[in-house]
Amino acid sequence: GAVVSQHPSRVICKSGTSVKIECRSLDFQATTMFWYRQFPKQSLMLMATSNEGSKATYEQGVEKDKFLINHASLTLSTLTVASAHPEDSSFYICSARVVGTVYGYTFGSGTRLTVV
Amino acid sequence: KQEVTQIPAALSVPEGENLVLNCSFTDSAIYNLQWFRQDPGKGLTSLLLIQSSQREQTSGRLNASLDKSSGRSTLYIAASQPGDSATYLCAVARFNKFYFGSGTKLNVKP
């Protein structure tokens, strides 16, 4: 139970284009979703927190106009990397809070973004 | 600001060895600590979660301990196998946020 499905798993795009990453909670309602980014050989860093139906909260240093987060329903949150550039190439992973379980949070399988 | 450090950064051992991975954190006010496994290009698999009130958790060949006062956790892997090869991440949770270490890359040689 408590599975988050993240798509796509890999994407290669040209510089200047936008890329959308989706995270769906399959068997529970995700009122809160977290988006992380991992650069090579570095740890996962929280980018933003989204609550269903409200604006996302971004961590310091994360450009909200570049990383657009939409959490329009209790089962879907999306991260759009707008006008992607090579420096945006990274591993992006979402996480959802699961109320009522011992683990509390479940993670998607991640998206490897390469901007060429 | 919470900082999480993992040592060693990489570890290579022969199959069958017992090993210990270390994790330290700077702020002891945590909700819980979790150990994850990350395979290349893949997401995270949760291995063990220790609530802030607990001292250790065990699952199969894995045992994780938590000493909140000293800001340390260890992950003990018994009788390592080649299938254990992966990057192991520890993360501390506080106020709905996870703070991750940079991981220990483990290679278990057959």
Side-chain angles (χ1 to χ4, degrees):
Chain A
V3 174
V4 170
S5 176
Q6 183 170 348
H7 293 282
S9 58
R10 289 179 180 272
V11 58
I12 300 173
C13 70
K14 290 184 177 180
S15 185
T17 61
S18 295
V19 175
K20 181 184 283 188
I21 302 170
E22 290 189 350
C23 276
R24 291 181 183 274
S25 57
L26 298 185
D27 47 7
F28 68 101
Q29 294 183 330
T31 55
T32 304
M33 196 78 81
F34 306 89
W35 288 92
Y36 292 83
R37 176 171 56 186
Q38 183 181 35
F39 290 109
K41 298 185 180 180
Q42 294 187 28
S43 59
L44 284 154
M45 298 292 291
L46 180 66
M47 297 174 65
T49 303
S50 70
N51 292 294
E52 184 268 335
S54 62
K55 289 184 178 180
T57 303
Y58 291 82
E59 296 297 301
Q60 191 173 11
V62 177
E63 300 174 60
K64 63 179 69 175
D65 293 332
K66 168 172 273 297
F67 299 100
L68 307 170
I69 292 173
N70 185 286
H71 195 161
S73 79
L74 288 171
T75 59
L76 176 65
S77 178
T78 60
L79 167 67
T80 300
V81 183
S83 187
H85 291 284
E87 58 265 29
D88 299 322
S89 298
S90 186
F91 184 74
Y92 295 87
I93 193 166
C94 62
S95 173
R97 184 175 182 188
V98 186
V99 178
T101 68
V102 64
Y103 280 89
Y105 301 87
T106 186
F107 286 80
S109 55
T111 297
R112 173 73 59 190
L113 171 64
T114 303
V115 185
V116 297
Chain B
K1 180 188 173 185
Q2 178 75 269
E3 292 185 6
V4 182
T5 304
Q6 288 186 248
I7 53 173
L11 184 61
S12 184
V13 300
E15 181 177 5
E17 271 203 10
N18 302 323
L19 54 100
V20 174
L21 308 182
N22 297 290
C23 173
S24 62
F25 47 95
T26 55
D27 188 342
S28 62
I30 64 172
Y31 177 64
N32 62 48
L33 183 144
Q34 203 158 344
W35 284 92
F36 296 88
R37 170 183 172 139
Q38 185 177 28
D39 292 285
K42 302 284 181 64
L44 304 182
T45 301
S46 181
L47 298 174
L48 289 166
L49 179 143
I50 311 177
Q51 301 289 357
S52 62
S53 58
Q54 298 174 323
R55 297 282 293 183
E56 67 176 338
Q57 283 289 331
T58 298
S59 175
R61 295 182 292 108
L62 305 179
N63 175 278
S65 67
L66 173 63
D67 184 342
K68 231 176 48 164
S69 61
S70 67
R72 295 179 187 276
S73 175
T74 61
L75 177 65
Y76 176 82
I77 302 177
S80 59
Q81 303 170 358
D84 295 330
S85 297
T87 296
Y88 291 79
L89 301 172
C90 80
V92 296
R94 185 165 181 254
F95 300 135
N96 265 343
K97 294 182 182 180
F98 277 98
Y99 297 87
F100 285 86
S102 52
T104 293
K105 187 173 183 179
L106 172 65
N107 178 37
V108 181
K109 298 172 288 187

